[in-house]
Amino acid sequence: MVHSVTTRDPAELIGRIHRETNWGFGRRTRHALASVIARAYPRVIGAAREPSWLFFDLVFPILGMCSIVFLLRSRGVDEAWIGSTILATALLSFWISVVWMMGAQFHWERDSGNLLLYITAPVGLGSIALGMAIGGALGVVIRAVIITLAGVLLFGAKYQVADPLLLMLVIVAGVAAMYSLGVCLSSVFLISGREADHLGSLLNEPMQLLGGVYAPVRSMGTVGVVALGILPLAPAIDALRQVAVPQLATTGILPVGIELVILVVMTIIFGVIGRSLLSYIERVGRSGGRLLARAD
Amino acid sequence: MSESASHAAVHASDIGRVFQAKGGPVTALDSIDLRVEPGELFGVLGPNGAGKSTLIKILSTLLLPTSGAASIFGLDVVTETARVRRIMNLVAGGDFSGYGLLTVREQLAMFAQFYGLPYREGIAKVDAQLASFGLDEIRDRKISALSTGQRQKLNFARSFLNDPWILFLDEPTIGLDVSAARDVRDRVRAFQAEQPGRTVLLTTHYMAEADEMCDRIAIVNHGRILAQGTPTELKRMVQKDTLFIVGIDELPATISMDSLRALPGVLSVAERDDVTDDVSGVGTQTVRLAVGLREDGALGGVISALAAGGAHLREISKSEPTLEEVFVQLVGRGISESDIAIDGA
């Protein structure tokens, strides 16, 4: 069966196509925002559709939290540390999401064939990554709230938040900085290939220690100061502990205001680095031929 | 870029691609020149490792060439990637992309946004494609619960969302059953018919699919184009002369094979051994003669001679070589099942 080949004036057709592909700034901006929302959607909706995720993402962290709380109580530690542990566990769920749901995501997207479709679509990888981050953060919010409520109900933890706005700022800035780092990690995981799983493990338990999840970074001396400067989890938890548990304000390594600034700066720096890394992986992927598409 | 190149749907000039492998550089494409006109359905045939997928990856902006230049509707695939991606789409065989937790409709709606469609228009397009591909009944089913055929139909529905001017199909019917593959081919034809100028570049292992669907075909091997043309032109390369099968009730005693061979324009006449018993109720067998001619017009002399001798004509058919035969002659071997299973070059 032979079809007709050219059924319209080629010059007119080419002219039309060139006009269609010439998107203005407004259209490109709307497209980028719509793509962010579109990519965030599976993250938000997925958390509600897979009960096993809820089980693993809620029950395991709560069990871990319980073990720490029982240990603290058995040692007769101030009850303020119980409240701190609960908040840290809630914030930790964001970090775990950053490592496994952001960091490893492009690696998984490549193997599933999605990355190939993203690259060949007119959407930028930046929009995809931002959608992953926002969707991931929104999806974890419910888990974090449930973990906190569970901790309060199980252990009777009490909080004294003098400045709710500051508390919100700390949480938002902390989450933003973590997911901004997640954008960087997504590229690093993709480049690391088979080592991605090991990288994920490396960023899990060791980072809980360096992030001061269960013990203030101040107690770690120089290592704690370094962690505060490079690991979003550290200033986020340190600031959160100071704002929500005033009895532990003296354990903070820096004033909350400065830690907030650190988190904002981290968000910007990691965002810029992440954007560059996304451009890098696309460039390297297109020139090398192996990074963006799964091995056939 | 020349005016000729800018008016082509696909224009590739001296495209080369070398991969750096552990054992040294591997040439996947070597000086490929290709021109596909707007509205064409162009097929690329080749064995495993021939370079088909590499070519499609370069043209679809997934891979950079190491030499040469290529453009899609006048847009350079290296320097104008964003614009190329606004008018193209891609379907690969065995593609299991998507998010298993999303429903069919949600998945398409997500990609509609990625393709830059306004929300309402995107949803309308999604619903239209669901209906078109017969996916309406499973619109709320999770992707993870779909069969292979349903997933491939979903991939095609996705690829039509942005009304691409060029559609790259990389082994699109691989793994599909006969019925699903036919559905997909029908939809591709309808897709092209809806808007003049829509162009399809197809790689396939299935000779019959290429023969049936493609306006023109390029046969590639070891990164080079060995031949290109319409299926008929390619077959002509194997069989220069015309071969007709002439079925008669019996060869008249007054006519010898040699006398037929002596007729103007006749190159050869041979009685085929596939004499068939009567099934039509006429009462005799059918004797088939394979008549080689220099040109189609010479057939008239043969028919007249047979009729003059008293033979009754039962059938006439033109015998053409298959694309498989063309492929074997050019490449030196056929496409085996193992090629189909593992191709990825």
Side-chain angles (χ1 to χ4, degrees), chain B residues 21-74:
Chain B
K22 284 180 183 172
V26 175
T27 301
L29 288 182
D30 186 8
S31 299
I32 294 280
D33 289 314
L34 189 69
R35 182 185 172 90
V36 180
E37 300 299 334
E40 261 192 310
L41 201 161
F42 192 91
V44 181
L45 274 176
N48 178 34
K52 308 183 300 292
S53 294
T54 301
L55 177 63
I56 228 169
K57 281 178 181 170
I58 288 173
L59 296 175
S60 61
T61 75
L62 263 173
L63 190 64
L64 294 174
T66 42
S67 61
S71 62
I72 304 294
F73 287 104

Short mmCIF file of all heavy atoms in Angstrom, two decimals, chain B residues 21-74:
data_model
loop_
_atom_site.label_atom_id
_atom_site.label_comp_id
_atom_site.label_asym_id
_atom_site.label_seq_id
_atom_site.Cartn_x
_atom_site.Cartn_y
_atom_site.Cartn_z
N ALA B 21 33.67 2.14 23.10
CA ALA B 21 33.46 0.91 23.86
C ALA B 21 34.79 0.45 24.45
O ALA B 21 35.85 1.00 24.12
CB ALA B 21 32.88 -0.17 22.95
N LYS B 22 34.71 -0.54 25.34
CA LYS B 22 35.93 -1.02 26.01
C LYS B 22 36.95 -1.55 25.00
O LYS B 22 38.14 -1.37 25.16
CB LYS B 22 35.57 -2.11 27.02
CG LYS B 22 34.94 -1.56 28.29
CD LYS B 22 34.59 -2.66 29.27
CE LYS B 22 33.89 -2.07 30.50
NZ LYS B 22 33.36 -3.12 31.40
N GLY B 23 36.43 -2.22 23.98
CA GLY B 23 37.33 -2.80 22.98
C GLY B 23 37.79 -1.81 21.94
O GLY B 23 38.52 -2.17 21.02
N GLY B 24 37.40 -0.56 22.05
CA GLY B 24 37.75 0.46 21.06
C GLY B 24 36.52 1.07 20.45
O GLY B 24 35.39 0.67 20.78
N PRO B 25 36.69 2.07 19.59
CA PRO B 25 35.53 2.74 18.99
C PRO B 25 34.70 1.80 18.13
O PRO B 25 35.24 0.95 17.43
CB PRO B 25 36.17 3.83 18.12
CG PRO B 25 37.59 3.92 18.52
CD PRO B 25 37.97 2.60 19.11
N VAL B 26 33.39 1.96 18.24
CA VAL B 26 32.46 1.15 17.44
C VAL B 26 31.64 2.09 16.57
O VAL B 26 31.00 3.02 17.08
CB VAL B 26 31.52 0.32 18.34
CG1 VAL B 26 30.49 -0.42 17.50
CG2 VAL B 26 32.31 -0.65 19.20
N THR B 27 31.69 1.88 15.28
CA THR B 27 30.94 2.73 14.36
C THR B 27 29.52 2.20 14.21
O THR B 27 29.33 1.11 13.65
CB THR B 27 31.62 2.80 12.98
OG1 THR B 27 32.94 3.31 13.17
CG2 THR B 27 30.85 3.72 12.03
N ALA B 28 28.58 2.95 14.71
CA ALA B 28 27.17 2.52 14.62
C ALA B 28 26.52 3.06 13.35
O ALA B 28 25.66 2.40 12.75
CB ALA B 28 26.39 2.98 15.83
N LEU B 29 26.90 4.26 12.96
CA LEU B 29 26.39 4.85 11.72
C LEU B 29 27.56 5.42 10.94
O LEU B 29 28.44 6.05 11.51
CB LEU B 29 25.39 5.97 12.01
CG LEU B 29 24.00 5.61 12.54
CD1 LEU B 29 23.18 6.88 12.72
CD2 LEU B 29 23.29 4.65 11.60
N ASP B 30 27.54 5.22 9.65
CA ASP B 30 28.67 5.63 8.83
C ASP B 30 28.15 6.38 7.60
O ASP B 30 27.64 5.77 6.66
CB ASP B 30 29.46 4.38 8.43
CG ASP B 30 30.74 4.73 7.68
OD1 ASP B 30 31.09 5.92 7.62
OD2 ASP B 30 31.39 3.81 7.16
N SER B 31 28.26 7.67 7.63
CA SER B 31 27.92 8.51 6.47
C SER B 31 26.52 8.23 5.91
O SER B 31 26.37 7.88 4.74
CB SER B 31 28.93 8.31 5.35
OG SER B 31 30.20 8.68 5.79
N ILE B 32 25.54 8.39 6.76
CA ILE B 32 24.16 8.16 6.33
C ILE B 32 23.60 9.43 5.68
O ILE B 32 23.64 10.52 6.27
CB ILE B 32 23.27 7.80 7.55
CG1 ILE B 32 23.69 6.44 8.13
CG2 ILE B 32 21.79 7.82 7.18
CD1 ILE B 32 23.17 5.24 7.40
N ASP B 33 23.09 9.28 4.49
CA ASP B 33 22.36 10.35 3.82
C ASP B 33 20.91 9.90 3.67
O ASP B 33 20.65 8.80 3.18
CB ASP B 33 22.94 10.63 2.43
CG ASP B 33 24.31 11.30 2.51
OD1 ASP B 33 24.45 12.25 3.30
OD2 ASP B 33 25.23 10.85 1.81
N LEU B 34 20.02 10.75 4.10
CA LEU B 34 18.61 10.34 4.10
C LEU B 34 17.73 11.57 3.87
O LEU B 34 18.01 12.65 4.40
CB LEU B 34 18.29 9.73 5.47
CG LEU B 34 16.95 9.03 5.65
CD1 LEU B 34 16.92 7.75 4.83
CD2 LEU B 34 16.74 8.70 7.13
N ARG B 35 16.70 11.36 3.11
CA ARG B 35 15.74 12.43 2.92
C ARG B 35 14.34 11.82 2.93
O ARG B 35 14.05 10.91 2.15
CB ARG B 35 15.99 13.16 1.60
CG ARG B 35 15.04 14.33 1.38
CD ARG B 35 15.22 14.95 -0.01
NE ARG B 35 14.18 15.93 -0.24
CZ ARG B 35 14.28 17.22 0.08
NH1 ARG B 35 15.40 17.67 0.61
NH2 ARG B 35 13.27 18.05 -0.14
N VAL B 36 13.51 12.30 3.84
CA VAL B 36 12.14 11.83 3.93
C VAL B 36 11.23 13.03 3.66
O VAL B 36 11.40 14.10 4.26
CB VAL B 36 11.84 11.24 5.33
CG1 VAL B 36 10.39 10.77 5.41
CG2 VAL B 36 12.79 10.10 5.64
N GLU B 37 10.30 12.85 2.77
CA GLU B 37 9.43 13.97 2.40
C GLU B 37 8.27 14.10 3.39
O GLU B 37 7.85 13.11 4.00
CB GLU B 37 8.86 13.74 0.99
CG GLU B 37 9.91 13.62 -0.10
CD GLU B 37 10.76 14.87 -0.24
OE1 GLU B 37 10.28 15.97 0.12
OE2 GLU B 37 11.90 14.75 -0.70
N PRO B 38 7.73 15.30 3.52
CA PRO B 38 6.56 15.47 4.38
C PRO B 38 5.42 14.55 3.93
O PRO B 38 5.13 14.45 2.73
CB PRO B 38 6.18 16.94 4.18
CG PRO B 38 7.45 17.60 3.77
CD PRO B 38 8.18 16.59 2.95
N GLY B 39 4.80 13.89 4.87
CA GLY B 39 3.68 13.01 4.55
C GLY B 39 4.07 11.58 4.27
O GLY B 39 3.20 10.72 4.13
N GLU B 40 5.35 11.30 4.21
CA GLU B 40 5.79 9.94 3.91
C GLU B 40 5.75 9.06 5.14
O GLU B 40 5.91 9.53 6.27
CB GLU B 40 7.24 9.96 3.40
CG GLU B 40 7.37 9.89 1.90
CD GLU B 40 8.80 9.60 1.48
OE1 GLU B 40 9.73 10.29 1.96
OE2 GLU B 40 8.99 8.70 0.67
N LEU B 41 5.57 7.79 4.90
CA LEU B 41 5.81 6.79 5.93
C LEU B 41 7.06 6.04 5.48
O LEU B 41 7.02 5.28 4.51
CB LEU B 41 4.62 5.84 6.08
CG LEU B 41 4.54 5.11 7.43
CD1 LEU B 41 3.14 4.58 7.67
CD2 LEU B 41 5.55 4.01 7.57
N PHE B 42 8.15 6.32 6.16
CA PHE B 42 9.45 5.83 5.72
C PHE B 42 9.92 4.72 6.65
O PHE B 42 9.91 4.88 7.88
CB PHE B 42 10.45 6.98 5.73
CG PHE B 42 11.75 6.67 5.03
CD1 PHE B 42 11.92 6.95 3.69
CD2 PHE B 42 12.79 6.09 5.74
CE1 PHE B 42 13.10 6.65 3.05
CE2 PHE B 42 13.98 5.78 5.10
CZ PHE B 42 14.15 6.07 3.75
N GLY B 43 10.32 3.61 6.10
CA GLY B 43 10.75 2.48 6.90
C GLY B 43 12.25 2.30 6.87
O GLY B 43 12.90 2.57 5.87
N VAL B 44 12.80 1.88 8.00
CA VAL B 44 14.22 1.54 8.07
C VAL B 44 14.32 0.08 8.48
O VAL B 44 13.89 -0.29 9.57
CB VAL B 44 14.97 2.43 9.09
CG1 VAL B 44 16.44 2.07 9.13
CG2 VAL B 44 14.80 3.90 8.75
N LEU B 45 14.86 -0.72 7.58
CA LEU B 45 14.98 -2.16 7.82
C LEU B 45 16.45 -2.52 7.99
O LEU B 45 17.31 -1.99 7.30
CB LEU B 45 14.46 -2.93 6.60
CG LEU B 45 12.98 -3.24 6.49
CD1 LEU B 45 12.72 -3.92 5.15
CD2 LEU B 45 12.52 -4.11 7.63
N GLY B 46 16.70 -3.40 8.92
CA GLY B 46 18.08 -3.84 9.08
C GLY B 46 18.18 -4.89 10.16
O GLY B 46 17.32 -4.98 11.02
N PRO B 47 19.24 -5.68 10.12
CA PRO B 47 19.42 -6.73 11.14
C PRO B 47 19.87 -6.14 12.47
O PRO B 47 20.12 -4.93 12.57
CB PRO B 47 20.49 -7.63 10.54
CG PRO B 47 21.29 -6.73 9.69
CD PRO B 47 20.34 -5.69 9.15
N ASN B 48 20.03 -6.99 13.44
CA ASN B 48 20.51 -6.59 14.74
C ASN B 48 21.87 -5.89 14.61
O ASN B 48 22.76 -6.39 13.95
CB ASN B 48 20.65 -7.84 15.61
CG ASN B 48 21.19 -7.53 16.98
OD1 ASN B 48 20.90 -6.47 17.53
ND2 ASN B 48 21.96 -8.45 17.53
N GLY B 49 21.98 -4.71 15.21
CA GLY B 49 23.25 -4.00 15.17
C GLY B 49 23.47 -3.18 13.91
O GLY B 49 24.55 -2.65 13.69
N ALA B 50 22.45 -3.08 13.09
CA ALA B 50 22.61 -2.36 11.81
C ALA B 50 22.73 -0.85 12.00
O ALA B 50 23.32 -0.17 11.17
CB ALA B 50 21.44 -2.67 10.90
N GLY B 51 22.18 -0.34 13.09
CA GLY B 51 22.22 1.10 13.33
C GLY B 51 20.86 1.78 13.24
O GLY B 51 20.78 3.01 13.28
N LYS B 52 19.81 0.99 13.14
CA LYS B 52 18.47 1.57 13.00
C LYS B 52 18.09 2.43 14.20
O LYS B 52 17.67 3.58 14.06
CB LYS B 52 17.40 0.46 12.86
CG LYS B 52 17.66 -0.56 11.81
CD LYS B 52 16.52 -1.56 11.70
CE LYS B 52 16.25 -2.34 12.98
NZ LYS B 52 17.33 -3.28 13.33
N SER B 53 18.24 1.86 15.38
CA SER B 53 17.84 2.59 16.58
C SER B 53 18.74 3.79 16.83
O SER B 53 18.29 4.82 17.32
CB SER B 53 17.84 1.66 17.80
OG SER B 53 16.84 0.68 17.65
N THR B 54 20.01 3.65 16.48
CA THR B 54 20.93 4.79 16.63
C THR B 54 20.46 5.94 15.75
O THR B 54 20.45 7.10 16.17
CB THR B 54 22.37 4.36 16.24
OG1 THR B 54 22.78 3.29 17.08
CG2 THR B 54 23.33 5.52 16.39
N LEU B 55 20.06 5.60 14.54
CA LEU B 55 19.57 6.63 13.62
C LEU B 55 18.33 7.32 14.19
O LEU B 55 18.23 8.55 14.19
CB LEU B 55 19.25 6.00 12.26
CG LEU B 55 18.65 6.93 11.22
CD1 LEU B 55 19.63 8.05 10.87
CD2 LEU B 55 18.26 6.16 9.96
N ILE B 56 17.41 6.53 14.72
CA ILE B 56 16.17 7.10 15.23
C ILE B 56 16.44 7.93 16.48
O ILE B 56 15.82 8.96 16.73
CB ILE B 56 15.12 5.98 15.48
CG1 ILE B 56 13.79 6.39 14.86
CG2 ILE B 56 14.92 5.68 16.93
CD1 ILE B 56 12.75 5.31 14.81
N LYS B 57 17.43 7.50 17.28
CA LYS B 57 17.78 8.27 18.48
C LYS B 57 18.38 9.62 18.11
O LYS B 57 18.13 10.63 18.76
CB LYS B 57 18.76 7.48 19.36
CG LYS B 57 18.08 6.40 20.18
CD LYS B 57 19.10 5.61 20.99
CE LYS B 57 18.40 4.52 21.79
NZ LYS B 57 19.36 3.58 22.40
N ILE B 58 19.17 9.65 17.07
CA ILE B 58 19.77 10.92 16.64
C ILE B 58 18.68 11.85 16.12
O ILE B 58 18.61 13.03 16.48
CB ILE B 58 20.85 10.68 15.57
CG1 ILE B 58 22.09 10.06 16.21
CG2 ILE B 58 21.23 11.99 14.86
CD1 ILE B 58 23.16 9.62 15.24
N LEU B 59 17.82 11.30 15.30
CA LEU B 59 16.77 12.15 14.70
C LEU B 59 15.76 12.62 15.75
O LEU B 59 15.16 13.68 15.60
CB LEU B 59 16.06 11.39 13.58
CG LEU B 59 16.94 11.03 12.37
CD1 LEU B 59 16.17 10.18 11.38
CD2 LEU B 59 17.47 12.29 11.69
N SER B 60 15.58 11.83 16.81
CA SER B 60 14.62 12.23 17.84
C SER B 60 15.29 12.98 18.99
O SER B 60 14.73 13.09 20.08
CB SER B 60 13.88 11.00 18.37
OG SER B 60 14.77 10.10 18.96
N THR B 61 16.48 13.47 18.78
CA THR B 61 17.24 14.33 19.71
C THR B 61 17.73 13.62 20.96
O THR B 61 18.14 14.26 21.92
CB THR B 61 16.46 15.60 20.15
OG1 THR B 61 15.46 15.23 21.11
CG2 THR B 61 15.81 16.33 18.99
N LEU B 62 17.70 12.30 20.97
CA LEU B 62 18.17 11.56 22.15
C LEU B 62 19.68 11.36 22.14
O LEU B 62 20.28 11.07 23.17
CB LEU B 62 17.51 10.19 22.18
CG LEU B 62 16.28 10.02 23.05
CD1 LEU B 62 15.68 8.65 22.83
CD2 LEU B 62 16.60 10.23 24.51
N LEU B 63 20.25 11.50 20.97
CA LEU B 63 21.67 11.17 20.81
C LEU B 63 22.28 12.17 19.84
O LEU B 63 21.63 12.57 18.88
CB LEU B 63 21.77 9.74 20.24
CG LEU B 63 23.12 9.06 20.19
CD1 LEU B 63 23.67 8.84 21.59
CD2 LEU B 63 22.99 7.71 19.47
N LEU B 64 23.52 12.55 20.12
CA LEU B 64 24.21 13.47 19.21
C LEU B 64 24.99 12.68 18.17
O LEU B 64 25.59 11.65 18.50
CB LEU B 64 25.18 14.35 20.00
CG LEU B 64 24.55 15.33 21.00
CD1 LEU B 64 25.66 16.03 21.79
CD2 LEU B 64 23.68 16.35 20.28
N PRO B 65 24.99 13.12 16.94
CA PRO B 65 25.85 12.47 15.95
C PRO B 65 27.29 12.88 16.20
O PRO B 65 27.54 13.95 16.76
CB PRO B 65 25.33 13.02 14.62
CG PRO B 65 24.74 14.35 14.96
CD PRO B 65 24.23 14.24 16.37
N THR B 66 28.22 12.04 15.82
CA THR B 66 29.63 12.44 15.94
C THR B 66 30.11 13.14 14.67
O THR B 66 31.18 13.74 14.66
CB THR B 66 30.52 11.22 16.25
OG1 THR B 66 30.11 10.10 15.46
CG2 THR B 66 30.42 10.84 17.70
N SER B 67 29.31 13.04 13.61
CA SER B 67 29.63 13.79 12.39
C SER B 67 28.35 13.99 11.60
O SER B 67 27.36 13.29 11.82
CB SER B 67 30.67 13.05 11.55
OG SER B 67 30.16 11.79 11.15
N GLY B 68 28.39 14.94 10.70
CA GLY B 68 27.25 15.20 9.84
C GLY B 68 26.19 16.07 10.49
O GLY B 68 26.37 16.57 11.61
N ALA B 69 25.09 16.26 9.78
CA ALA B 69 24.02 17.13 10.27
C ALA B 69 22.67 16.52 9.91
O ALA B 69 22.55 15.79 8.92
CB ALA B 69 24.14 18.52 9.63
N ALA B 70 21.68 16.81 10.74
CA ALA B 70 20.34 16.31 10.48
C ALA B 70 19.32 17.34 10.92
O ALA B 70 19.55 18.09 11.87
CB ALA B 70 20.10 14.99 11.21
N SER B 71 18.23 17.37 10.21
CA SER B 71 17.17 18.33 10.57
C SER B 71 15.81 17.66 10.41
O SER B 71 15.64 16.73 9.63
CB SER B 71 17.26 19.58 9.69
OG SER B 71 17.05 19.25 8.34
N ILE B 72 14.87 18.17 11.19
CA ILE B 72 13.48 17.73 11.12
C ILE B 72 12.66 18.94 10.71
O ILE B 72 12.61 19.94 11.44
CB ILE B 72 12.98 17.20 12.49
CG1 ILE B 72 13.88 16.07 13.01
CG2 ILE B 72 11.53 16.76 12.40
CD1 ILE B 72 13.87 14.81 12.19
N PHE B 73 12.04 18.89 9.59
CA PHE B 73 11.29 20.02 9.04
C PHE B 73 12.13 21.31 9.12
O PHE B 73 11.64 22.36 9.50
CB PHE B 73 9.96 20.20 9.78
CG PHE B 73 8.95 19.14 9.43
CD1 PHE B 73 8.68 18.12 10.30
CD2 PHE B 73 8.28 19.17 8.21
CE1 PHE B 73 7.75 17.13 9.98
CE2 PHE B 73 7.35 18.19 7.88
CZ PHE B 73 7.08 17.16 8.77
N GLY B 74 13.40 21.19 8.79
CA GLY B 74 14.28 22.35 8.75
C GLY B 74 14.85 22.76 10.09
O GLY B 74 15.62 23.72 10.16
#
